[in-house]
Amino acid sequence: NAGVMQNPRHLVRRRGQEARLRCSPVKGHSHVYWYRQLPEEGLKFMVYLQKENIIDESGMPKERFSAEFPKEGPSILRIQQVVRGDSAAYFCASSQSTDTQYFGPGTRLTVL
Amino acid sequence: DQQVKQNSPSLSVQEGRISILNCDYTNSMFDYFLWYKKYPAEGPTFLISISSIKDKNEDGRFTVFLNKSAKHLSLHIVPSQPGDSAVYFCAASEGNGNQFYFGTGTSLTVIP
């Protein structure tokens, strides 16, 4: 069952360190989306990528956050110089086109 | 600015009865809607979708109703089962848009 895979499932970082979150989409899906869920909140869109291109990054903070989806390999969400407020669950989703998105299990980031 | 709202954070229903989860939206350009179910420590799982050309879509025990004039959709689960206990998110997008807007979720508890 080659669903959306995310790793690591749990990530602990100290303030100021970098966090790298990985997402492997469903085989054949070329659209990848990253969402963040803060405690007691719903999912918030961050960024939408197709292979090698960022299509929409309107939900991503302008500083410290970046995302990529290279031609080969998983999509990466990178958070530099993490702060406590970055602690959240980060979900990746993929789709074949701009319709139903299928989600991975998420990465829970804890910043100490 | 919350464009998709789920005003009931929680709902309890007796096993065998109907569960009705509600969702309101503000953007009249939304024309594609989905419901996701989420268990703790897992990613959201797609349940059912509806496009604005329909007012009802049914899949087994799950039915989604869309009232475009009221900008309201609802998910009916009948009969409810204890395994349905989870957080349910509604999501909406503009047809050819990339970004899904999620509600904050409703936690459903089905009491055996």
Side-chain angles (χ1 to χ4, degrees):
Chain A
N1 179 15
V4 178
M5 300 180 68
Q6 289 187 249
N7 67 83
R9 292 293 310 274
H10 300 273
L11 182 62
V12 179
R13 285 287 178 266
R14 296 190 181 278
R15 278 180 297 171
Q17 291 184 320
E18 178 179 283
R20 290 167 66 97
L21 290 66
R22 293 175 184 77
C23 168
S24 296
V26 173
K27 189 175 181 181
H29 286 190
S30 58
H31 302 248
V32 165
Y33 311 80
W34 285 94
Y35 292 84
R36 175 164 68 174
Q37 184 180 22
L38 294 167
E40 309 301 325
E41 293 188 17
L43 293 155
K44 300 286 187 186
F45 168 82
M46 297 182 73
V47 62
Y48 160 49
L49 310 102
Q50 291 185 30
K51 281 289 186 182
E52 301 184 272
N53 292 303
I54 295 174
I55 307 301
D56 181 354
E57 57 182 347
S58 59
M60 202 149 73
K62 294 288 185 283
E63 298 178 352
R64 302 187 298 108
F65 286 72
S66 62
E68 61 179 25
F69 187 18
K71 189 176 180 182
E72 300 291 338
S75 175
I76 306 286
L77 178 68
R78 183 183 291 109
I79 311 172
Q80 296 177 304
Q81 298 176 316
V82 295
V83 300
R84 288 222 173 103
D86 297 332
S87 295
Y90 291 82
F91 292 96
C92 167
S94 75
S95 69
Q96 202 162 27
S97 61
T98 54
D99 57 6
T100 304
Q101 297 177 12
Y102 296 88
F103 283 80
T107 293
R108 185 160 298 279
L109 171 66
T110 302
V111 179
L112 301 176
Chain B
D1 178 26
Q2 193 72 21
Q3 297 192 50
V4 178
K5 299 178 183 178
Q6 293 176 257
N7 292 320
S8 297
S10 62
L11 175 68
S12 289
V13 171
Q14 207 72 33
E15 181 178 4
R17 297 289 185 100
I18 184 171
S19 296
I20 301 176
L21 296 97
N22 293 302
C23 180
D24 297 290
Y25 60 96
T26 57
N27 187 344
S28 57
M29 298 299 292
F30 286 152
D31 58 4
Y32 188 62
F33 306 87
L34 304 93
W35 284 93
Y36 285 88
K37 179 165 93 169
K38 186 180 180 304
Y39 294 115
E42 293 185 14
T45 303
F46 168 73
L47 261 181
I48 192 168
S49 64
I50 189 168
S51 71
S52 59
I53 60 173
K54 292 186 171 183
D55 54 19
K56 177 183 174 182
N57 189 24
E58 193 171 350
D59 184 1
R61 296 186 298 115
F62 302 91
T63 304
V64 56
F65 294 92
L66 175 62
N67 183 333
K68 291 184 287 294
S69 60
K71 297 194 185 69
H72 177 84
L73 67 156
S74 60
L75 175 69
H76 293 212
I77 307 172
V78 56
S80 302
Q81 299 173 354
D84 296 330
S85 297
V87 177
Y88 289 78
F89 291 96
C90 67
S93 76
E94 298 180 31
N96 60 352
N98 311 312
Q99 182 178 155
F100 275 89
Y101 295 85
F102 282 79
T104 50
T106 296
S107 178
L108 173 66
T109 301
V110 180
I111 304 164

